[in-house]
Amino acid sequence: MGRVGAPCSAPGSDMYKGWLFKWTNYIKGYQRRWFVLSNGLLSYYRTQAEMAHTCRGTINLATAHIDTEDTCNIVLSSGGRTYHLKASTEVERQRWVTALELAKAKAIRMMNDQSDDSADEEPTSQSDHSEIQGTLKTLASKLDDLSTCNDLIAKHGAALQRSLSELETLRVPLEGGEKNKAVNERATLFRITSNAMINACRDFLDLAESHSRRWQRVLQHEREQRTHLEETIEQLAEQHNSLERACREAPTHAVNTPNTPTTDTGVSERPRKEEASGEDEDTEYFDAMEDSPAFITVTATDPSQHRSSLSTTFDEQQTESSNGNSNDFSGKELQPHRKRRTQIPEKPNYSLNLWSIMKNCIGKELSKIPMPVNFNEPLSMLQRLMEDLEYHELLDKAARCENSLEQMCLVAAFSVSSYSTTVHRTAKPFNPLLGETYELDRLEEFGYRSLCEQVSHHPPAAAHHVMSQRGWTLWQEITIASKFRGKYLSIMPLGAIHLQFHASGNHYVWRKVTSTVHNIIVGKLWIDQSGDIDIVNHRTKETCQLKFSPYSYFSREVPRKVTGVVKDSDGQAHYILSGTWDDKMESAKIVQSSRGSSSSEGKQKTVYQTLTPKLLWKKYPLPENAENMYYFSSLALTLNEEEEGVCWTDSRLRPDQQLMEAGCWDEANVEKQRLEEKQRATRRRREAEASKNFEGYRPLWFHQRTDEMTGETIYVYKGGYWEAKERQEWSMCPDIF
């Protein structure tokens, strides 16, 4: 790059870069900087080498205003930020102007396309279909480039025509010289834009010609597939008629004889040739299919002979869960004593550039970054913890299980269900203030009471305790560690979750997986869960390991997949768990296991032979119009509902959160800053008044104890809250709002 401003690529290409002079201040004036234009973003660096690690600034052209009136100057302004740029020559300036205008038009189209994309689009489509769609998008993009170039040519052509008309009317030689210079500049700009138009036309035609033959082959293949499908359907219809005739001709006395196995649904099946011979079944094992003859004899016999009554009860409970006809107090079938609200004010359509705020926060703790409410949802982190109880009926069923392995399956399903509400919830909950509490009293409706308290601010930690009259108690202390990595945000919950069943004394402990928010800078935000959950029953030493598979564009696996194995104290597997964390979980009882062939990595895999999977948990559909209400679930919509007699430190009374839910975001931002400053002033005053043995803040409803199972020091509920609520005695509570 010998010349300042000489670009590295043509104005119509996807990336455009080169040297420009940028105004810095009145002392240094214009300084030489390396500019890169890519994906609708204009970034600059001091040197080309800085591109690998340090970006000095970025401006989004989709919302930028481009001013090119001054000779050799370009002025870009967006969101209060302005770049004054200068090129070395008028020709270089015109090249940059063309590239910037093309990039701005493309960025606006990309932004509109992203807003129109469906949130539930499946990433794993067929390769041919995805390739065709990608080609169509590329052709459409090139066509849009042609349209933009056409507009620019019309604009610059009109300017050139005006200059020529003015030139004809001139008589003074001096004035004619100035007009000749203007005409030359207009002609240069027209030539550059025309070249960009020609290049875009050539690209469009090349792409169309290169893919036309492939489209013809794909079309022919689809025609052949359709013909084959029609023939197959015709054959199936003939076979169906033959089977109907054979069924009518079969003797009626063969039904329900002692030698004929019966399925779970009570429909008898005739023995098949494969069942009598038993060939291949003894040497090769597969996951048991629903119509597999070898397994029908296992499930079809009298449950009193081959299955214990506990297993029968477990299957019945799973069937009830799948049919939605459970007779237990699950809470979804009963009419609650109080009618809860089903909607909140719709989310306002406020736009804000996330990158302008986050670019200076790379590597910092997220809880220490002052964020406007535009990136929040009107719930606190304490209330998000309460959403773990969305599917509390799973624990109610588990409390009635007498078989601990079957109970473990339901506990595992409960641990997965807590992530189902996060699939569309990319907004950040409010950081609770120190001493903030939240209560969820569903004693009359669902038989449980739940309390959360923010016990630490840095690092942010919350203690949670749930007591159910239906035979279980849950408690946890969660510390949120989060890091912004530039392109994604990692949220790592630290701390163990404890669950104890009153009747059996079974004590389960597990920890949460890592949540990752992608496309922080560019694109549509989406969230993923990844990692392992190890659930341990400390009384029986039984375990369950759940694996949350991270999303991969190149993987053929189902997105958001979760798999697991339930093992006894000796390490023998009894159940296989499978499903997705945003939809459902199933369990399948293992009837036999074998060592399979070695994989490509040299590891020998275990092959489990299982019965038909049973549904453990199914996600409830979102409420109507949820997309305009922060994608809240039915439970989340009720969390800010007014409750009589709650403590004045309760999250539902937090003013900035109330203002945000009401749609008053500007007022909410002001109130949020006031509350945070009040919290800082309170801490400074408390530390100044404390003695030398200052031990920090002490929570009101929780105290630290050493857990007997894990040996960790955690905050546990010490009692007194619900008694204080009965008396309406809150004088000991701090004034945090």
Side-chain angles (χ1 to χ4, degrees), residues 81-182:
R81 180 184 305 173
T82 304
Y83 289 173
H84 294 270
L85 309 177
K86 181 182 290 187
S88 58
T89 65
E90 174 62 20
V91 174
E92 300 300 339
R93 185 183 82 100
Q94 298 297 350
R95 288 176 178 171
W96 273 103
V97 169
T98 302
L100 290 170
E101 289 178 337
L102 286 172
K104 178 179 179 180
K106 186 178 293 185
I108 293 174
R109 290 196 304 269
M110 287 176 60
M111 185 172 61
N112 294 335
D113 292 343
Q114 288 172 358
S115 64
D116 294 338
D117 284 345
S118 172
D120 297 326
E121 183 180 357
E122 289 292 336
T124 54
S125 58
Q126 296 182 358
S127 58
D128 289 343
H129 180 73
S130 61
E131 186 175 350
I132 292 175
Q133 291 297 325
T135 304
L136 290 176
K137 287 185 177 179
T138 305
L139 290 174
S141 175
K142 292 296 181 183
L143 194 59
D144 290 336
D145 289 344
L146 292 178
S147 177
T148 303
C149 289
N150 181 62
D151 295 340
L152 292 175
I153 286 178
K155 171 184 173 183
H156 299 321
L160 181 60
Q161 186 65 42
R162 286 196 303 272
S163 298
L164 291 173
S165 300
E166 294 173 357
L167 189 61
E168 292 177 355
T169 60
L170 293 178
R171 297 179 180 179
V172 183
L174 179 61
E175 189 176 355
E178 294 178 354
K179 289 297 179 181
N180 279 330
K181 182 179 179 181

Side-chain angles (χ1 to χ4, degrees), residues 324-338:
N325 296 324
S326 175
N327 293 324
D328 63 343
F329 297 100
S330 65
K332 295 295 177 181
E333 293 78 24
L334 290 180
Q335 288 292 333
H337 290 75
R338 171 181 171 181

Side-chain angles (χ1 to χ4, degrees), residues 192-443:
I192 293 173
T193 309
S194 300
N195 289 336
M197 178 76 168
I198 293 171
N199 292 334
C201 290
R202 186 183 297 113
D203 292 341
F204 181 84
L205 290 176
D206 290 343
L207 277 173
E209 291 175 358
S210 64
H211 287 86
S212 60
R213 292 183 179 179
R214 172 163 178 78
W215 289 344
Q216 290 291 338
R217 291 196 301 269
V218 170
L219 179 60
Q220 182 63 28
H221 176 73
E222 292 297 329
R223 288 173 177 170
E224 293 174 357
Q225 290 293 323
R226 179 178 177 179
T227 303
H228 177 70
L229 184 60
E230 290 175 350
E231 294 173 354
T232 303
I233 292 175
E234 186 176 351
Q235 294 174 2
L236 288 174
E238 294 176 357
Q239 294 176 6
H240 180 73
N241 292 332
S242 300
L243 288 173
E244 283 186 343
R245 288 195 300 270
C247 182
R248 286 194 296 267
E249 295 171 359
T252 57
H253 62 80
V255 180
N256 289 335
T257 59
N259 296 328
T260 305
T262 306
T263 62
D264 290 339
T265 57
V267 180
S268 62
E269 294 198 6
R270 298 172 58 87
R272 301 182 184 178
K273 180 178 179 181
E274 292 80 3
E275 291 177 350
S277 65
E279 292 179 0
D280 295 337
E281 269 80 0
D282 294 333
T283 57
E284 190 172 21
Y285 299 96
F286 301 93
D287 288 344
M289 302 300 290
E290 188 176 4
D291 57 348
S292 177
F295 309 130
I296 291 176
T297 57
V298 174
T299 59
T301 53
D302 188 357
S304 63
Q305 298 178 6
H306 295 278
R307 300 176 64 193
S308 66
S309 60
L310 301 180
S311 299
T312 305
T313 304
F314 180 54
D315 292 339
E316 288 173 356
Q317 290 172 353
Q318 292 174 332
T319 306
E320 289 169 357
S321 174
S322 62
N323 295 335
N325 296 324
S326 175
N327 293 324
D328 63 343
F329 297 100
S330 65
K332 295 295 177 181
E333 293 78 24
L334 290 180
Q335 288 292 333
H337 290 75
R338 171 181 171 181
K339 184 175 177 60
R340 302 285 177 179
R341 68 179 185 179
T342 58
Q343 59 183 5
I344 60 174
E346 292 190 1
K347 178 182 178 181
N349 187 18
Y350 291 152
S351 61
L352 191 63
N353 186 3
L354 176 62
W355 177 240
S356 64
I357 296 175
M358 299 296 284
K359 68 174 185 176
N360 298 320
C361 308
I362 297 178
K364 295 182 180 179
E365 182 73 23
L366 185 66
S367 61
K368 298 182 180 180
I369 300 173
M371 300 285 286
V373 301
N374 303 57
F375 303 122
N376 285 45
E377 60 180 15
L379 291 178
S380 74
M381 191 63 202
L382 303 183
Q383 293 166 306
R384 286 293 290 267
L385 283 178
M386 293 293 181
E387 291 190 62
D388 289 357
L389 302 175
E390 178 94 26
Y391 300 93
H392 60 87
E393 62 267 20
L394 290 171
L395 300 185
D396 297 341
K397 293 178 182 179
R400 299 194 299 273
C401 276
E402 298 180 16
N403 186 305
S404 57
L405 291 171
E406 296 167 354
Q407 189 179 72
M408 174 71 84
C409 292
L410 289 168
V411 172
F414 174 78
S415 68
V416 175
S417 69
S418 63
Y419 297 98
S420 63
T421 61
T422 66
V423 62
H424 301 300
R425 302 271 292 278
T426 55
K428 175 181 176 292
F430 279 77
N431 289 331
L433 302 173
L434 189 61
E436 187 173 332
T437 61
Y438 184 79
E439 68 160 70
L440 188 64
D441 190 351
R442 297 291 191 267
L443 194 63

Side-chain angles (χ1 to χ4, degrees), residues 498-540:
H498 295 257
L499 172 65
Q500 187 170 27
F501 292 99
H502 304 162
S504 63
N506 289 336
H507 188 145
Y508 297 88
V509 179
W510 70 92
R511 301 173 189 274
K512 290 180 176 285
V513 296
T514 298
S515 301
T516 306
V517 183
H518 295 270
N519 289 348
I520 294 293
I521 301 177
V522 178
K524 193 168 188 175
L525 292 176
W526 61 278
I527 195 166
D528 194 22
Q529 316 288 346
S530 59
D532 295 338
I533 291 181
D534 294 319
I535 307 176
V536 180
N537 184 343
H538 283 272
R539 191 184 72 84
T540 63

Side-chain angles (χ1 to χ4, degrees), residues 596-612:
S597 58
S598 299
S599 64
S600 58
E601 300 176 355
K603 297 180 180 179
Q604 196 173 26
K605 295 184 177 180
T606 302
V607 180
Y608 295 112
Q609 186 181 14
T610 67
L611 298 179
T612 304

